[in-house]
Amino acid sequence: MRIMRAAFASRFDAADPLAALTVGEQPEPSLPDDDWVTVRVTASSLNHHDLWSLRGVGLRAEQLPMILGCDAAGVDPDGNEVVVYPVVPTPDDPRGMSILSEHRPGTLAERVAVPRSNLLPLPAGLAATDAACLPTAWLTAWRMLTAKGRVDEAEAVLVQGAGGGVATAAVALAVAMGRRVYATSRDAAKRTRIAGLGATAVEPGARLPERVDVVIETVGAATFDHSLKSAAPGARIVVSGATAGHEPKVNLRRVFAMQLEILGTSMGTPGELTELLAFCAERGVRPEVDSVVPFSRVADAFARLHSGDVFGKVVVDHTA
């Protein structure tokens, strides 16, 4: 049995998720079918999904230890630089699929196993540390804007709670698409950085100078009423998270009178990830990176994410 270094959930701790993190040796992941391959990971990035896993959300005790991490860029068995699409078939899951680290070992390790069809070429000119930010948060934002939000029909976009991975990605992408972008944050320093990305930064709940055609909503109860009030007739409010409450009050009169669409989404397809990679490579769009941490200090990367002070993605360099 081959052994490798990995960052994994060894137990659950709802109050202190960092206490449930272990960095140590784990067996190399097995290949369940002939069409699966092992990828040598060169870069990965963290998501709040990893902290929720350490709290015990979405995992059962019998699944422990579970290697964490959804996102990765690496090298395939043939020596090709690749980006890993993190959604894998999972017959035992009610969804019929799962994300790496939910049922199968994740990417915060020396190696990860995935179906060969999950490997996408790393575009020329795109660094592995940048590409490793894209498969979860950026792919979710891309799908929210394109397939769900129909941003090609829009002029203005509101992004709630910018600073986190998905919201910051949505700001950068919508600006690159030439849309007028408004973005909220409670943190004045983050509002300054959001403005630096080309958006108009406002405080949560602030009245906008215009109603918007697309709202990117990852916050939930704390911002949902503002999302409804900011929406133009026929606007799309696209939801992919609820970090500040999952049961908002919804004014249904506003929903039907303004003919609003409230759409849920999560992740995206391999084809959409291919489109996103090409868009970033061709337009020179790069993820906002909060920090790059060597794998030898991966626990520090988790502490950084848990602090709540991040702006953009926390990246782990597996070559350092």
Side-chain angles (χ1 to χ4, degrees):
M1 179 185 297
R2 295 186 65 185
I3 300 298
M4 63 181 185
R5 291 278 291 174
F8 53 94
S10 54
R11 61 187 180 89
F12 302 135
D13 193 321
D16 183 10
L18 298 182
L21 174 68
T22 299
V23 181
E25 294 185 340
Q26 284 289 290
E28 182 174 306
S30 60
L31 303 179
D33 286 301
D34 292 341
D35 63 336
W36 284 58
V37 296
T38 300
V39 174
R40 176 170 59 84
V41 179
T42 55
S44 61
S45 69
L46 301 189
N47 295 282
H48 281 282
H49 182 278
D50 300 309
L51 293 176
W52 286 113
S53 296
L54 291 167
R55 292 184 174 103
V57 178
L59 288 176
R60 303 182 306 276
E62 56 267 29
Q63 293 177 280
L64 299 179
M66 176 60 76
I67 297 174
L68 301 169
C70 309
D71 294 334
V75 179
D76 73 7
D78 300 320
N80 302 306
E81 291 189 286
V82 295
V83 181
V84 176
Y85 175 66
V87 179
V88 294
T90 312
D92 294 339
D93 191 284
R95 300 167 294 178
M97 48 68 69
S98 64
I99 302 171
L100 292 172
S101 77
E102 291 182 338
H103 290 272
R104 294 285 307 175
T107 58
L108 286 167
E110 293 179 56
R111 292 174 289 279
V112 64
V114 292
R116 186 177 288 276
S117 59
N118 283 47
L119 303 183
L120 305 177
L122 176 68
L126 193 62
T129 48
D130 286 334
C133 299
L134 302 181
T136 298
W138 275 67
L139 177 58
T140 298
W142 177 264
R143 183 175 175 81
M144 292 177 82
L145 287 166
T146 57
K148 294 291 186 176
R150 306 194 301 280
V151 72
D152 57 323
E153 303 171 12
E155 294 184 2
V157 176
L158 168 63
V159 180
Q160 296 284 19
V166 174
T168 304
V171 169
L173 289 169
V175 168
M177 293 170 180
R179 302 304 184 265
R180 293 189 299 276
V181 182
Y182 303 93
T184 67
S185 176
R186 294 175 297 175
D187 187 299
K190 288 184 179 180
R191 289 197 296 274
T192 299
R193 295 193 66 175
I194 291 163
L197 296 178
T200 299
V202 299
E203 294 185 10
R207 185 182 181 90
L208 304 182
E210 61 179 319
R211 286 198 169 104
V212 301
D213 308 297
V214 179
V215 180
I216 300 300
E217 177 62 81
T218 63
V219 179
T223 57
F224 208 81
D225 186 60
H226 182 241
S227 294
L228 289 169
K229 290 177 179 177
S230 302
R236 284 77 66 194
I237 300 174
V238 190
V239 183
S240 72
T243 56
H246 65 280
E247 294 184 335
K249 290 183 178 180
V250 178
N251 184 338
L252 293 178
R253 289 176 179 170
R254 184 177 292 272
V255 172
F256 65 72
M258 298 288 281
Q259 301 190 56
L260 304 180
E261 298 178 45
I262 300 175
L263 305 162
T265 191
S266 178
M267 296 298 292
T269 67
E272 288 166 335
L273 180 54
T274 299
E275 293 171 1
L276 171 61
L277 288 165
F279 183 88
C280 290
E282 293 166 6
R283 300 287 189 93
V285 177
R286 297 296 181 266
E288 188 71 20
V289 173
D290 176 88
S291 50
V292 179
V293 179
F295 186 79
S296 59
R297 291 176 35 225
V298 66
D300 293 340
F302 273 85
R304 176 67 181 166
L305 180 64
H306 186 246
S307 72
D309 294 331
V310 297
F311 187 87
K313 297 290 290 180
V314 177
V315 178
V316 179
D317 184 349
H318 292 236
T319 67

